[in-house]
Amino acid sequence: MAEAISCVRGERILFRDLTFTLGRGQAGLLTGPNGVGKSSLLRLLAGLLQPSAGSYIAPETKALCDDRLALDEHLSLGQTLGFWAKLDGKRPADVAAAMKRAGLGHLAEVPVRYFSTGQRQRARLARTYLTDARLWLLDEPANGLDTDSVDQLGRALQSHLDGGGIILAASHIPLPIAFDLTLKLEPLEELEACL
């Protein structure tokens, strides 16, 4: 998946020469303190950033679930997920299934702006579930979730893996699945400026 990739943000090198592989049905966990580049790595693999060195190969279909909501807060959950469903060639039944999987079916008619922190997180996850993406890139997917919601998330993650999907997650909260790979990103000994 990744071969000797390095990432520069601003004037700092966050990580360098990172190499790893994840295949179908495998999950990887990114750990490390804040600011070492976990979110940047996920955004890089999603195609939103370019590596400063190295290369990577990611499945053609990928979904990034991070702290950006990407849902119109003035629309109901059903309407805003419906917008994305149309773009992805999905049916209304797919929207209903994604909301149910995220435990939000009962909130389909509620505008997203009224959602609590945990409900917003589950709405982000519903958007991910709605895709047919093989690779799920999850940045702190359990943030704001209660115990039952974390268990529900674990079932959804395992189902994705069982179907041949791939997951790379950055999380400080334990996730209820087995990981095939753990990458611990460490701060560079000295903050290295770019030349």
Side-chain angles (χ1 to χ4, degrees):
M1 183 182 261
E3 181 68 35
I5 59 172
S6 300
C7 182
V8 172
R9 295 298 303 265
E11 299 298 317
R12 275 188 3 164
I13 299 171
L14 293 178
F15 54 83
R16 73 161 67 109
D17 298 326
L18 188 61
T19 299
F20 64 93
T21 300
L22 286 172
R24 291 175 66 95
Q26 291 188 315
L29 178 65
L30 298 174
T31 66
N34 293 334
V36 294
K38 299 181 300 293
S39 298
S40 294
L41 176 59
L42 294 175
R43 292 179 60 74
L44 188 150
L45 295 174
L48 301 174
L49 299 174
Q50 293 298 315
S52 57
S55 62
Y56 67 94
I57 298 172
E60 185 176 322
T61 56
K62 46 199 167 281
L64 173 65
C65 180
D66 63 8
D67 63 351
R68 294 159 185 85
L69 190 54
L71 299 172
D72 188 332
E73 295 189 6
H74 298 287
L75 296 177
S76 71
L77 178 62
Q79 290 171 318
T80 192
L81 287 176
F83 167 80
W84 289 108
K86 285 181 185 175
L87 289 179
D88 292 341
K90 300 291 187 177
R91 300 167 295 127
D94 299 319
V95 174
M99 287 188 294
K100 181 178 180 183
R101 194 174 193 187
L104 294 172
H106 64 292
L107 297 176
E109 300 303 319
V110 177
V112 175
R113 69 180 175 273
Y114 296 123
F115 282 16
S116 69
T117 300
Q119 289 168 334
R120 285 173 181 263
Q121 183 65 12
R122 288 187 285 150
R124 289 181 191 98
L125 292 165
R127 169 71 184 108
T128 302
Y129 303 156
L130 187 56
T131 71
D132 279 330
R134 178 175 301 168
L135 174 60
W136 287 359
L137 300 163
L138 309 174
D139 196 354
E140 301 294 348
N143 270 2
L145 299 185
D146 59 29
T147 304
D148 290 341
S149 296
V150 171
D151 289 343
Q152 190 172 44
L153 169 64
R155 290 189 297 274
L157 298 180
Q158 190 60 56
S159 175
H160 183 64
L161 295 171
D162 291 345
I166 304 166
I167 295 170
L168 183 60
S171 184
H172 291 97
I173 299 170
L175 299 174
I177 60 169
F179 287 94
D180 302 284
L181 170 73
T182 299
L183 293 170
K184 184 170 184 180
L185 298 183
E186 299 280 356
L188 296 178
E189 292 204 16
E190 297 176 14
L191 292 180
E192 297 190 30
C194 300
L195 299 176

